Coordinates of all heavy atoms in Angstrom, one line a residue:
L122 N 32.8 67.4 -113.2 CA 32.1 66.2 -112.5 C 32.2 66.5 -111.0 O 33.3 66.5 -110.4 CB 32.9 64.9 -112.8 CG 32.3 63.7 -112.1 CD1 30.8 63.4 -112.4 CD2 33.2 62.5 -112.4
F123 N 31.0 66.8 -110.4 CA 31.0 67.1 -109.0 C 31.3 65.9 -108.1 O 30.8 64.8 -108.4 CB 29.7 67.7 -108.6 CG 29.6 69.2 -109.0 CD1 29.0 69.6 -110.1 CD2 30.1 70.2 -108.1 CE1 29.0 70.9 -110.5 CE2 30.1 71.5 -108.5 CZ 29.5 71.9 -109.7
E124 N 32.1 66.0 -107.1 CA 32.4 64.9 -106.2 C 31.1 64.4 -105.5 O 31.1 63.3 -104.9 CB 33.4 65.4 -105.1 CG 34.8 65.5 -105.7 CD 35.5 64.2 -105.8 OE1 35.1 63.5 -106.7 OE2 36.5 63.9 -105.1
T125 N 30.1 65.2 -105.4 CA 28.8 64.8 -104.8 C 28.0 63.9 -105.6 O 27.0 63.3 -105.1 CB 28.0 66.1 -104.4 OG1 28.0 66.9 -105.6 CG2 28.7 66.9 -103.3
A126 N 28.4 63.8 -106.9 CA 27.5 63.1 -107.9 C 27.2 61.7 -107.5 O 26.1 61.2 -107.7 CB 28.1 63.1 -109.3
F127 N 28.2 61.0 -106.9 CA 28.0 59.6 -106.6 C 27.0 59.3 -105.5 O 26.5 58.2 -105.3 CB 29.4 59.0 -106.1 CG 29.5 57.5 -106.0 CD1 28.9 56.7 -107.0 CD2 30.0 56.9 -104.9 CE1 29.0 55.3 -106.9 CE2 30.0 55.5 -104.8 CZ 29.5 54.7 -105.8
Y128 N 26.6 60.4 -104.8 CA 25.7 60.3 -103.6 C 24.3 60.7 -103.9 O 23.5 60.8 -103.0 CB 26.3 61.1 -102.4 CG 27.7 60.6 -102.1 CD1 28.8 61.2 -102.7 CD2 27.9 59.5 -101.3 CE1 30.0 60.8 -102.4 CE2 29.1 59.0 -101.1 CZ 30.2 59.7 -101.6 OH 31.5 59.2 -101.4
Q129 N 24.0 60.9 -105.2 CA 22.7 61.5 -105.5 C 21.5 60.6 -105.3 O 20.4 61.0 -105.3 CB 22.7 62.1 -106.9 CG 23.0 61.1 -108.0 CD 23.2 61.8 -109.4 OE1 22.3 62.3 -110.0 NE2 24.5 61.8 -109.8
W130 N 21.8 59.3 -105.1 CA 20.7 58.3 -104.9 C 20.6 57.9 -103.4 O 19.9 57.0 -103.1 CB 20.9 57.1 -105.8 CG 20.8 57.5 -107.2 CD1 19.6 57.8 -107.9 CD2 21.9 57.8 -108.1 NE1 20.0 58.2 -109.2 CE2 21.3 58.2 -109.4 CE3 23.2 57.7 -108.0 CZ2 22.1 58.5 -110.5 CZ3 24.0 58.0 -109.1 CH2 23.4 58.4 -110.3
M131 N 21.2 58.6 -102.5 CA 21.1 58.3 -101.1 C 19.6 58.6 -100.7 O 19.0 59.5 -101.2 CB 22.0 59.3 -100.2 CG 23.4 58.8 -100.2 SD 24.3 59.6 -98.9 CE 24.1 61.4 -99.2
E132 N 19.1 57.9 -99.7 CA 17.8 58.1 -99.2 C 17.7 59.4 -98.4 O 18.7 59.7 -97.7 CB 17.4 57.0 -98.3 CG 17.3 55.6 -98.9 CD 16.0 55.5 -99.8 OE1 15.1 56.3 -99.6 OE2 16.1 54.7 -100.8
P133 N 16.6 60.1 -98.4 CA 16.5 61.3 -97.6 C 16.8 61.1 -96.1 O 17.4 61.9 -95.5 CB 15.0 61.7 -97.7 CG 14.6 61.2 -99.1 CD 15.4 59.9 -99.3
A134 N 16.5 59.9 -95.6 CA 16.8 59.6 -94.2 C 18.3 59.5 -94.0 O 18.8 59.8 -92.8 CB 16.2 58.3 -93.8
A135 N 19.1 59.3 -95.0 CA 20.5 59.2 -94.9 C 21.2 60.5 -95.0 O 22.3 60.7 -94.6 CB 21.1 58.2 -95.9
Y136 N 20.5 61.5 -95.7 CA 21.2 62.8 -95.9 C 20.7 64.0 -95.2 O 21.2 65.0 -95.2 CB 21.4 63.1 -97.4 CG 20.1 63.4 -98.2 CD1 19.4 64.6 -98.0 CD2 19.7 62.5 -99.2 CE1 18.3 64.9 -98.8 CE2 18.5 62.8 -99.9 CZ 17.9 64.0 -99.7 OH 16.7 64.2 -100.5
N137 N 19.5 63.8 -94.6 CA 18.9 65.0 -93.8 C 19.5 65.1 -92.4 O 19.7 64.1 -91.7 CB 17.4 64.9 -93.8 CG 16.8 65.5 -94.9 OD1 16.8 66.8 -95.1 ND2 16.2 64.7 -95.8
Y138 N 19.8 66.3 -92.0 CA 20.1 66.6 -90.6 C 18.8 67.0 -89.9 O 17.9 67.6 -90.5 CB 21.1 67.8 -90.5 CG 22.5 67.5 -91.0 CD1 23.0 68.2 -92.1 CD2 23.3 66.5 -90.5 CE1 24.4 68.0 -92.5 CE2 24.6 66.2 -90.9 CZ 25.1 67.0 -92.0 OH 26.4 66.8 -92.4
A139 N 18.8 66.9 -88.6 CA 17.7 67.3 -87.8 C 17.8 68.7 -87.4 O 18.1 69.1 -86.3 CB 17.6 66.4 -86.6
I140 N 17.6 69.6 -88.4 CA 17.8 71.0 -88.2 C 16.5 71.8 -88.6 O 15.7 71.2 -89.2 CB 19.0 71.6 -89.0 CG1 18.9 71.1 -90.4 CG2 20.3 71.2 -88.4 CD1 19.9 71.6 -91.4
P141 N 16.3 73.0 -88.2 CA 15.1 73.7 -88.6 C 14.9 73.8 -90.1 O 15.9 73.8 -90.8 CB 15.3 75.1 -88.0 CG 16.4 75.0 -87.0 CD 17.2 73.9 -87.4
Q142 N 13.7 73.9 -90.5 CA 13.4 74.0 -92.0 C 14.2 75.1 -92.7 O 14.6 74.9 -93.8 CB 11.9 74.3 -92.2 CG 11.0 73.2 -91.6 CD 10.8 72.0 -92.5 OE1 11.3 72.1 -93.7 NE2 10.2 71.0 -92.0
S143 N 14.3 76.2 -91.9 CA 15.0 77.4 -92.6 C 16.4 77.1 -92.9 O 17.0 77.6 -93.8 CB 14.8 78.6 -91.7 OG 15.3 78.3 -90.4
W144 N 17.1 76.2 -92.0 CA 18.4 75.8 -92.3 C 18.5 74.9 -93.5 O 19.4 75.0 -94.3 CB 19.0 75.1 -91.1 CG 19.3 76.0 -89.9 CD1 18.5 77.0 -89.4 CD2 20.3 75.8 -88.9 NE1 19.0 77.5 -88.2 CE2 20.1 76.8 -87.9 CE3 21.4 75.0 -88.8 CZ2 21.0 77.0 -86.8 CZ3 22.3 75.2 -87.7 CH2 22.1 76.2 -86.8
R145 N 17.5 74.0 -93.5 CA 17.5 73.0 -94.6 C 17.3 73.7 -95.9 O 17.8 73.3 -96.9 CB 16.4 71.9 -94.3 CG 16.9 70.9 -93.3 CD 15.8 70.1 -92.7 NE 15.0 69.4 -93.7 CZ 13.9 68.8 -93.5 NH1 13.3 68.9 -92.3 NH2 13.2 68.2 -94.5
A146 N 16.5 74.8 -95.9 CA 16.2 75.5 -97.1 C 17.5 76.2 -97.7 O 17.6 76.5 -98.9 CB 15.2 76.6 -96.8

Side-chain angles (χ1 to χ4, degrees):
L122 175 62
F123 281 94
E124 286 284 67
T125 48
F127 191 48
Y128 303 93
Q129 57 190 291
W130 296 282
M131 282 194 301
E132 295 288 337
Y136 67 70
N137 269 292
Y138 291 122
I140 49 177
Q142 299 279 352
S143 55
W144 293 36
R145 284 166 53 196

